[in-house]
Amino acid sequence: MFSVTVRDHMMVAHSFRGEVFGPAQRLHGATFVVDATFRRPDLDADGIVVDIGLATAQLKAVLGDLNYRNLDEEPAFAGTNTTTEVLCRTVADRLAEAVHAGRLGDGARGLAGITVTLHESHVAWASYERSL
């Protein structure tokens, strides 16, 4: 399986419901380094997994909808704890929509899957992997 990863970052504010979250139940900020890995079993006709420029632009666009937002106020997340894991799935699903809409180019239609990793710090991160 071949893969290409592109990276960006986002800054959000949010809070969590539930005693398990301790002080994170209060509104707080989070800065995430975000990796999006695109996979496919074979390279396309141009010898690539995906156009890196288009993948970078689409990751930036997806994160732009979340960046500098208080996620507690976003209707898409109403009633949801916006944990790192939930945000991984959200970013991956939105990138998958971009692939299906052709925004990563025709060659991206041969992608097998996407993995999104959000790094909370240099010692903790979470990922979500999905098929296309």
Side-chain angles (χ1 to χ4, degrees), residues 7-40:
R7 175 174 277 185
D8 204 333
H9 73 282
M10 68 175 172
M11 293 180 267
V12 301
H14 59 172
S15 61
F16 299 127
R17 290 173 318 286
E19 291 298 319
V20 68
F21 295 105
Q25 292 175 84
R26 293 187 297 273
L27 185 65
H28 63 280
T31 300
F32 297 103
V33 173
V34 182
D35 292 331
T37 301
F38 300 86
R39 303 182 317 278
R40 65 187 302 148

Tab-separated table of all heavy atoms in Angstrom, residues 7-40:
chain	number	residue	atom	x	y	z
A	7	ARG	N	0.320	17.872	5.948
A	7	ARG	CA	0.187	18.350	7.329
A	7	ARG	C	-0.232	19.820	7.354
A	7	ARG	O	0.169	20.612	6.514
A	7	ARG	CB	1.522	18.181	8.043
A	7	ARG	CG	1.565	18.747	9.448
A	7	ARG	CD	2.857	18.420	10.129
A	7	ARG	NE	2.736	17.057	10.687
A	7	ARG	CZ	3.651	16.475	11.426
A	7	ARG	NH1	4.790	17.092	11.679
A	7	ARG	NH2	3.453	15.273	11.910
A	8	ASP	N	-1.035	20.145	8.362
A	8	ASP	CA	-1.429	21.527	8.637
A	8	ASP	C	-1.703	21.609	10.137
A	8	ASP	O	-1.329	20.693	10.871
A	8	ASP	CB	-2.659	21.910	7.810
A	8	ASP	CG	-2.787	23.416	7.583
A	8	ASP	OD1	-2.285	24.204	8.408
A	8	ASP	OD2	-3.410	23.812	6.583
A	9	HIS	N	-2.344	22.651	10.572
A	9	HIS	CA	-2.692	22.775	11.996
A	9	HIS	C	-3.985	23.566	12.137
A	9	HIS	O	-4.427	24.232	11.197
A	9	HIS	CB	-1.561	23.451	12.778
A	9	HIS	CG	-1.453	24.922	12.519
A	9	HIS	ND1	-0.879	25.431	11.383
A	9	HIS	CD2	-1.878	25.976	13.242
A	9	HIS	CE1	-0.948	26.746	11.419
A	9	HIS	NE2	-1.550	27.106	12.534
A	10	MET	N	-4.587	23.461	13.328
A	10	MET	CA	-5.767	24.266	13.631
A	10	MET	C	-5.789	24.576	15.117
A	10	MET	O	-5.222	23.839	15.933
A	10	MET	CB	-7.056	23.567	13.208
A	10	MET	CG	-7.413	22.335	13.984
A	10	MET	SD	-9.023	21.703	13.458
A	10	MET	CE	-9.052	20.164	14.365
A	11	MET	N	-6.451	25.679	15.440
A	11	MET	CA	-6.637	26.097	16.820
A	11	MET	C	-8.132	26.236	17.070
A	11	MET	O	-8.838	26.875	16.276
A	11	MET	CB	-5.926	27.418	17.079
A	11	MET	CG	-4.420	27.291	17.000
A	11	MET	SD	-3.559	28.834	17.293
A	11	MET	CE	-3.382	29.404	15.619
A	12	VAL	N	-8.606	25.608	18.129
A	12	VAL	CA	-10.027	25.636	18.462
A	12	VAL	C	-10.201	25.926	19.943
A	12	VAL	O	-9.262	25.802	20.731
A	12	VAL	CB	-10.729	24.297	18.121
A	12	VAL	CG1	-10.596	23.964	16.637
A	12	VAL	CG2	-10.208	23.158	18.981
A	13	ALA	N	-11.424	26.286	20.290
A	13	ALA	CA	-11.838	26.349	21.690
A	13	ALA	C	-12.985	25.366	21.843
A	13	ALA	O	-13.764	25.157	20.900
A	13	ALA	CB	-12.289	27.761	22.055
A	14	HIS	N	-13.077	24.733	22.995
A	14	HIS	CA	-14.176	23.811	23.265
A	14	HIS	C	-14.165	23.431	24.735
A	14	HIS	O	-13.240	23.742	25.469
A	14	HIS	CB	-14.114	22.567	22.362
A	14	HIS	CG	-12.867	21.759	22.493
A	14	HIS	ND1	-12.707	20.540	21.901
A	14	HIS	CD2	-11.699	21.980	23.144
A	14	HIS	CE1	-11.515	20.053	22.172
A	14	HIS	NE2	-10.880	20.901	22.927
A	15	SER	N	-15.230	22.768	25.144
A	15	SER	CA	-15.319	22.225	26.495
A	15	SER	C	-15.949	20.842	26.379
A	15	SER	O	-16.517	20.499	25.344
A	15	SER	CB	-16.156	23.122	27.403
A	15	SER	OG	-17.477	23.236	26.907
A	16	PHE	N	-15.830	20.062	27.438
A	16	PHE	CA	-16.365	18.704	27.432
A	16	PHE	C	-17.372	18.519	28.553
A	16	PHE	O	-17.272	19.149	29.606
A	16	PHE	CB	-15.242	17.672	27.616
A	16	PHE	CG	-14.201	17.702	26.538
A	16	PHE	CD1	-12.857	17.816	26.851
A	16	PHE	CD2	-14.552	17.606	25.204
A	16	PHE	CE1	-11.889	17.825	25.861
A	16	PHE	CE2	-13.596	17.620	24.207
A	16	PHE	CZ	-12.255	17.725	24.533
A	17	ARG	N	-18.313	17.633	28.318
A	17	ARG	CA	-19.273	17.232	29.346
A	17	ARG	C	-18.861	15.867	29.867
A	17	ARG	O	-18.561	14.972	29.088
A	17	ARG	CB	-20.690	17.156	28.763
A	17	ARG	CG	-21.259	18.522	28.416
A	17	ARG	CD	-22.587	18.428	27.684
A	17	ARG	NE	-22.675	17.394	26.656
A	17	ARG	CZ	-22.086	17.453	25.453
A	17	ARG	NH1	-21.371	18.497	25.120
A	17	ARG	NH2	-22.238	16.476	24.594
A	18	GLY	N	-18.836	15.727	31.188
A	18	GLY	CA	-18.520	14.443	31.794
A	18	GLY	C	-17.371	14.556	32.772
A	18	GLY	O	-16.354	15.193	32.477
A	19	GLU	N	-17.539	13.924	33.906
A	19	GLU	CA	-16.531	13.977	34.967
A	19	GLU	C	-15.173	13.433	34.515
A	19	GLU	O	-14.133	13.860	35.011
A	19	GLU	CB	-17.015	13.204	36.202
A	19	GLU	CG	-18.178	13.862	36.917
A	19	GLU	CD	-17.845	15.237	37.461
A	19	GLU	OE1	-16.724	15.424	38.008
A	19	GLU	OE2	-18.690	16.138	37.317
A	20	VAL	N	-15.180	12.506	33.569
A	20	VAL	CA	-13.928	11.909	33.108
A	20	VAL	C	-12.961	12.977	32.560
A	20	VAL	O	-11.757	12.776	32.560
A	20	VAL	CB	-14.210	10.813	32.042
A	20	VAL	CG1	-14.745	11.409	30.749
A	20	VAL	CG2	-12.964	9.993	31.771
A	21	PHE	N	-13.505	14.127	32.142
A	21	PHE	CA	-12.684	15.165	31.536
A	21	PHE	C	-12.097	16.152	32.539
A	21	PHE	O	-11.299	17.008	32.159
A	21	PHE	CB	-13.488	15.915	30.466
A	21	PHE	CG	-13.868	15.040	29.316
A	21	PHE	CD1	-15.165	14.587	29.166
A	21	PHE	CD2	-12.919	14.633	28.388
A	21	PHE	CE1	-15.519	13.767	28.115
A	21	PHE	CE2	-13.261	13.808	27.334
A	21	PHE	CZ	-14.567	13.367	27.195
A	22	GLY	N	-12.458	16.031	33.817
A	22	GLY	CA	-11.871	16.885	34.851
A	22	GLY	C	-11.921	18.352	34.478
A	22	GLY	O	-12.966	18.863	34.080
A	23	PRO	N	-10.772	19.060	34.567
A	23	PRO	CA	-10.768	20.501	34.298
A	23	PRO	C	-11.087	20.854	32.842
A	23	PRO	O	-11.441	21.992	32.545
A	23	PRO	CB	-9.363	20.949	34.689
A	23	PRO	CG	-8.540	19.715	34.711
A	23	PRO	CD	-9.470	18.577	35.009
A	24	ALA	N	-10.995	19.904	31.927
A	24	ALA	CA	-11.310	20.176	30.521
A	24	ALA	C	-12.814	20.347	30.301
A	24	ALA	O	-13.242	20.638	29.192
A	24	ALA	CB	-10.766	19.066	29.621
A	25	GLN	N	-13.598	20.192	31.366
A	25	GLN	CA	-15.023	20.495	31.257
A	25	GLN	C	-15.237	21.998	31.072
A	25	GLN	O	-16.251	22.412	30.532
A	25	GLN	CB	-15.775	20.016	32.503
A	25	GLN	CG	-15.813	18.499	32.616
A	25	GLN	CD	-16.461	18.066	33.909
A	25	GLN	OE1	-17.687	17.986	33.986
A	25	GLN	NE2	-15.647	17.803	34.924
A	26	ARG	N	-14.261	22.785	31.504
A	26	ARG	CA	-14.332	24.235	31.302
A	26	ARG	C	-13.848	24.559	29.887
A	26	ARG	O	-13.075	23.819	29.280
A	26	ARG	CB	-13.470	24.952	32.331
A	26	ARG	CG	-14.004	24.806	33.752
A	26	ARG	CD	-13.219	25.659	34.730
A	26	ARG	NE	-11.810	25.290	34.843
A	26	ARG	CZ	-11.341	24.354	35.667
A	26	ARG	NH1	-12.156	23.668	36.439
A	26	ARG	NH2	-10.049	24.098	35.705
A	27	LEU	N	-14.284	25.694	29.372
A	27	LEU	CA	-13.840	26.150	28.063
A	27	LEU	C	-12.318	26.284	28.063
A	27	LEU	O	-11.734	26.863	28.990
A	27	LEU	CB	-14.494	27.488	27.731
A	27	LEU	CG	-14.210	28.042	26.338
A	27	LEU	CD1	-14.804	27.127	25.266
A	27	LEU	CD2	-14.796	29.448	26.212
A	28	HIS	N	-11.692	25.724	27.048
A	28	HIS	CA	-10.239	25.787	26.915
A	28	HIS	C	-9.858	25.770	25.442
A	28	HIS	O	-10.674	25.440	24.589
A	28	HIS	CB	-9.559	24.619	27.655
A	28	HIS	CG	-9.928	23.276	27.109
A	28	HIS	ND1	-11.104	22.625	27.418
A	28	HIS	CD2	-9.267	22.452	26.255
A	28	HIS	CE1	-11.151	21.465	26.787
A	28	HIS	NE2	-10.045	21.339	26.075
A	29	GLY	N	-8.641	26.128	25.153
A	29	GLY	CA	-8.149	26.126	23.782
A	29	GLY	C	-7.322	24.891	23.504
A	29	GLY	O	-6.780	24.268	24.418
A	30	ALA	N	-7.257	24.541	22.236
A	30	ALA	CA	-6.427	23.411	21.806
A	30	ALA	C	-5.823	23.751	20.443
A	30	ALA	O	-6.504	24.302	19.583
A	30	ALA	CB	-7.254	22.141	21.708
A	31	THR	N	-4.553	23.448	20.302
A	31	THR	CA	-3.868	23.593	19.016
A	31	THR	C	-3.452	22.198	18.571
A	31	THR	O	-2.788	21.480	19.311
A	31	THR	CB	-2.638	24.502	19.143
A	31	THR	OG1	-3.053	25.787	19.598
A	31	THR	CG2	-1.915	24.640	17.806
A	32	PHE	N	-3.891	21.823	17.393
A	32	PHE	CA	-3.609	20.490	16.859
A	32	PHE	C	-2.742	20.577	15.615
A	32	PHE	O	-3.001	21.388	14.720
A	32	PHE	CB	-4.910	19.786	16.446
A	32	PHE	CG	-5.861	19.519	17.564
A	32	PHE	CD1	-6.981	20.325	17.738
A	32	PHE	CD2	-5.674	18.458	18.426
A	32	PHE	CE1	-7.888	20.074	18.756
A	32	PHE	CE2	-6.564	18.187	19.446
A	32	PHE	CZ	-7.674	19.008	19.613
A	33	VAL	N	-1.723	19.740	15.531
A	33	VAL	CA	-1.036	19.470	14.273
A	33	VAL	C	-1.840	18.339	13.626
A	33	VAL	O	-2.140	17.329	14.275
A	33	VAL	CB	0.427	19.055	14.505
A	33	VAL	CG1	1.070	18.604	13.198
A	33	VAL	CG2	1.198	20.202	15.122
A	34	VAL	N	-2.214	18.532	12.368
A	34	VAL	CA	-3.117	17.595	11.696
A	34	VAL	C	-2.414	16.962	10.504
A	34	VAL	O	-1.956	17.668	9.598
A	34	VAL	CB	-4.406	18.305	11.224
A	34	VAL	CG1	-5.360	17.318	10.569
A	34	VAL	CG2	-5.077	19.037	12.385
A	35	ASP	N	-2.342	15.629	10.510
A	35	ASP	CA	-1.801	14.869	9.382
A	35	ASP	C	-2.937	14.151	8.681
A	35	ASP	O	-3.769	13.517	9.338
A	35	ASP	CB	-0.795	13.815	9.859
A	35	ASP	CG	0.473	14.413	10.414
A	35	ASP	OD1	0.848	15.515	9.984
A	35	ASP	OD2	1.093	13.768	11.282
A	36	ALA	N	-2.957	14.250	7.367
A	36	ALA	CA	-3.921	13.498	6.555
A	36	ALA	C	-3.121	12.587	5.629
A	36	ALA	O	-2.327	13.066	4.817
A	36	ALA	CB	-4.814	14.431	5.744
A	37	THR	N	-3.329	11.286	5.784
A	37	THR	CA	-2.615	10.289	4.987
A	37	THR	C	-3.584	9.648	4.010
A	37	THR	O	-4.636	9.142	4.406
A	37	THR	CB	-1.988	9.216	5.899
A	37	THR	OG1	-1.084	9.855	6.806
A	37	THR	CG2	-1.244	8.162	5.083
A	38	PHE	N	-3.222	9.687	2.746
A	38	PHE	CA	-4.037	9.121	1.670
A	38	PHE	C	-3.368	7.836	1.203
A	38	PHE	O	-2.159	7.811	0.977
A	38	PHE	CB	-4.133	10.128	0.517
A	38	PHE	CG	-4.760	11.433	0.929
A	38	PHE	CD1	-3.983	12.452	1.480
A	38	PHE	CD2	-6.116	11.638	0.798
A	38	PHE	CE1	-4.550	13.645	1.883
A	38	PHE	CE2	-6.700	12.833	1.197
A	38	PHE	CZ	-5.916	13.840	1.739
A	39	ARG	N	-4.161	6.749	1.057
A	39	ARG	CA	-3.617	5.427	0.725
A	39	ARG	C	-4.235	4.876	-0.559
A	39	ARG	O	-5.411	5.094	-0.832
A	39	ARG	CB	-3.914	4.424	1.842
A	39	ARG	CG	-3.459	4.731	3.191
A	39	ARG	CD	-3.796	3.606	4.182
A	39	ARG	NE	-5.126	3.020	4.058
A	39	ARG	CZ	-6.232	3.538	4.569
A	39	ARG	NH1	-6.204	4.677	5.205
A	39	ARG	NH2	-7.382	2.919	4.441
A	40	ARG	N	-3.420	4.096	-1.241
A	40	ARG	CA	-3.922	3.348	-2.405
A	40	ARG	C	-2.980	2.186	-2.684
A	40	ARG	O	-1.778	2.282	-2.428
A	40	ARG	CB	-4.096	4.245	-3.622
A	40	ARG	CG	-2.829	4.814	-4.159
A	40	ARG	CD	-3.005	5.848	-5.267
A	40	ARG	NE	-3.714	5.338	-6.390
A	40	ARG	CZ	-4.509	6.078	-7.162
A	40	ARG	NH1	-4.661	7.367	-6.945
A	40	ARG	NH2	-5.124	5.546	-8.180
